[in-house]
Amino acid sequence: MARSLYSLGFIGLSGLSVRAQQTVYGQCGGTGWSGATTCASGSVCTVLNSYYSQCLPSTPSSFSSIYSSALPTTVASTTSFTSTPTSALPPTTTVSSASATPSGTCAPNSPPSSAGKLRFAGVNISGFDFGCNSDGNCNWTGAWPPLAEYYGHDGVGQMTHFVNDDGYNVFRLPVGWQYLTQSDTTAVATLNAANLAEYDALVNACLATGAYCIVDVHNYARFDGAIIGQGGPSNALFAQLWSNIAAHYAGESKIIFGVMNEPYDVPDINLWAASVQAAVTAIRQAGATTQIILLPGNNWTSAETLVSNGSADALNKVVNPDGSITNLVFDVHKYLDSDNSGTHTDCVMNNIDNAWAPLAQWLRCHGRQAFNTETGGGNVADCVTYMSQQIAFQAANSDVFLGYVGWAAGNFDPSYVLGETPTETGSTWSDTLLVSGAMSPKVNGLVA
């Protein structure tokens, strides 16, 4: 059934109900809402758009009392961290290697008063990853550039619309290793000039919008079924691939390097961290010295298990050639369906208690940051609700969370279960419900 799309309306709430109070981060208003409209102590019913209002903490300190019971009690102690923003990037908290691994017990902590606005919000523009399976087996001819000039969807128009009409400022551009090298069965590091030119067309179109652009190698830590550094391509070959990619984009300050999409079932997380370290070193030594590099953990880079599966501790040891961790950011994903697969239309959770609150605690205790580069849900009302809650929590903790990137647009048809592909009628673009109801920065007002 067609559903009306709503835009941001900064309207006041009046005639508040005297029924039971809503919990923190619960819904408290919006068109058609018949539940509680007053919020638990320490939170305020805040209008995010005319479809959705949410109980948000009235002060940053509310975080500690609300979530202390859900946070780990045996992580490292608080310490002072040095802020070293890079002029070519949005302001990000960076730390020296000496302060990256504090010891002892870190008490539940709160975001600083400056938190509240995320730095990034965007969409995955898919197509160059088509033809790739999760075993790292790719048929490079299966890639479908999301560009009208290559008979794909109008990725340029999509990105222009997302920036101008929605306020997005980052796009993730997944691409298969095999496509970049035009080699399906033999792992090589040399970039194929013709294929790189096609991928460049998308990257350059992204940069032309003024947005940041994530170059994401979409191979699940594998090539043709074998794990990088653990029976598959060597760390040296993987590093050379990234050296070649980084050298090509070293002069672009708005390129973000996504080392690898969704490693999973990696037998030795410390060996995987060594593979990531090889890539980081290669990127920096190729001349890309200031850009953000995204560090992916095991278990499909799940935000919920980044700490528990050992990825956080292992990747916390990855450093720049100078020993710093400046602009090395954890790459995490989190969907809102029942099994975190991103394959179901319905959403059943906001991921706050099980994933984001514990992860925020660990990141803050260790002076690190994370970027949610894949998230999404179906275009149904419950996904609007839960996505709004997830984004609001991340924004309230924006000292440790950089932002979110929805999955997915590009060459996905609007009928795709997680489709965020806008439709064009004449010169007018129309967004999907999840984008227009929750994820658009101009709707949620939570992106700087």
Side-chain angles (χ1 to χ4, degrees):
M1 181 176 67
R3 191 180 296 274
S4 299
L5 305 180
Y6 299 92
S7 60
L8 180 63
F10 293 97
I11 56 176
L13 296 177
S14 60
L16 295 178
S17 169
V18 295
R19 69 186 76 194
Q21 290 184 325
Q22 181 59 280
T23 58
V24 178
Y25 295 106
Q27 184 173 1
C28 58
T31 302
W33 175 249
S34 59
T37 56
T38 58
C39 298
S41 177
S43 62
V44 175
C45 191
T46 304
V47 176
L48 300 183
N49 54 63
S50 56
Y51 186 61
Y52 188 81
S53 298
Q54 182 178 21
C55 292
L56 297 180
S58 54
T59 63
S61 61
S62 300
F63 173 88
S64 178
S65 59
I66 294 165
Y67 286 102
S68 58
S69 62
L71 298 176
T73 57
T74 57
V75 290
S77 62
T78 54
T79 186
S80 59
F81 298 108
T82 304
S83 177
T84 318
T86 303
S87 60
L89 299 169
T92 58
T93 302
T94 56
V95 298
S96 68
S97 57
S99 60
T101 55
S103 60
T105 300
C106 181
N109 51 46
S110 303
S113 59
S114 59
K117 292 279 189 177
L118 295 166
R119 298 178 181 89
F120 294 117
V123 183
N124 281 267
I125 306 296
S126 283
F128 282 104
D129 54 317
F130 287 10
C132 287
N133 299 321
S134 59
D135 62 0
N137 189 335
C138 295
N139 176 358
W140 76 263
T141 62
W144 186 17
L147 296 163
E149 64 193 277
Y150 299 114
Y151 309 102
H153 291 184
D154 183 9
V156 177
Q158 290 178 24
M159 291 187 289
T160 302
H161 154 70
F162 282 132
V163 170
N164 293 341
D165 300 333
D166 289 312
Y168 283 120
N169 61 6
V170 65
F171 298 102
R172 186 168 177 252
L173 312 176
V175 61
W177 180 340
Q178 286 88 334
Y179 182 83
L180 289 173
T181 60
Q182 202 180 106
S183 177
D184 285 346
T185 58
T186 302
V188 299
T190 302
L191 305 180
N192 178 270
N195 286 10
L196 180 62
E198 292 188 3
Y199 184 66
D200 254 349
L202 183 65
V203 174
N204 290 332
C206 172
L207 291 170
T209 68
Y212 284 75
C213 310
I214 302 173
V215 175
D216 159 57
V217 176
H218 212 77
N219 276 69
Y220 306 90
R222 290 158 167 80
F223 191 102
D224 200 19
I227 296 174
I228 297 165
Q230 300 183 52
S234 67
N235 287 351
L237 184 65
F238 185 49
Q240 188 59 54
L241 174 74
W242 268 112
S243 179
N244 294 340
I245 295 171
H248 187 70
Y249 294 116
E252 297 289 351
S253 63
K254 288 192 172 183
I255 291 290
I256 297 172
F257 297 105
V259 167
M260 179 57 60
N261 176 69
E262 295 188 344
Y264 70 95
D265 292 347
V266 174
D268 190 320
I269 190 59
N270 292 304
L271 288 180
W272 172 245
S275 300
V276 174
Q277 178 66 74
V280 167
T281 300
I283 291 168
R284 295 302 191 217
Q285 291 181 342
T289 58
T290 62
Q291 293 92 333
I292 290 174
I293 302 176
L294 301 175
L295 314 180
N298 208 353
N299 193 28
W300 312 91
T301 62
S302 169
E304 183 173 356
T305 62
L306 183 76
V307 176
S308 63
N309 69 26
S311 294
D313 284 338
L315 294 173
N316 198 33
K317 299 179 178 67
V318 175
V319 296
N320 292 308
D322 64 0
S324 74
I325 57 171
T326 303
N327 293 324
L328 301 183
V329 174
F330 291 124
D331 194 359
V332 294
H333 295 173
K334 201 75 180 79
Y335 289 95
L336 297 92
D337 53 359
S338 57
D339 59 1
N340 189 40
S341 67
T343 60
H344 305 97
T345 299
D346 290 335
C347 299
V348 301
M349 64 186 80
N350 59 24
N351 297 314
I352 293 172
D353 288 337
N354 60 312
W356 299 117
L359 181 56
Q361 168 77 356
W362 190 95
L363 292 168
R364 197 169 289 119
C365 286
H366 290 78
R368 303 305 298 258
Q369 293 176 315
F371 194 171
N372 185 14
T373 61
E374 266 193 41
T375 190
N379 290 292
V380 295
D382 57 1
C383 291
V384 172
T385 296
Y386 288 122
M387 182 61 74
S388 295
Q389 293 170 354
Q390 176 177 275
I391 292 171
F393 181 85
Q394 290 175 333
N397 293 271
S398 61
D399 59 312
V400 292
F401 297 126
L402 294 187
Y404 58 90
V405 187
W407 185 270
N411 270 337
F412 280 115
D413 188 82
S415 63
Y416 167 53
V417 65
L418 297 186
E420 295 182 8
T421 305
T423 55
E424 184 181 16
T425 304
S427 60
T428 301
W429 291 86
S430 298
D431 284 318
T432 62
L433 177 63
L434 189 61
V435 170
S436 65
M439 301 188 78
S440 167
K442 288 191 176 179
V443 168
N444 61 45
L446 295 174
V447 180

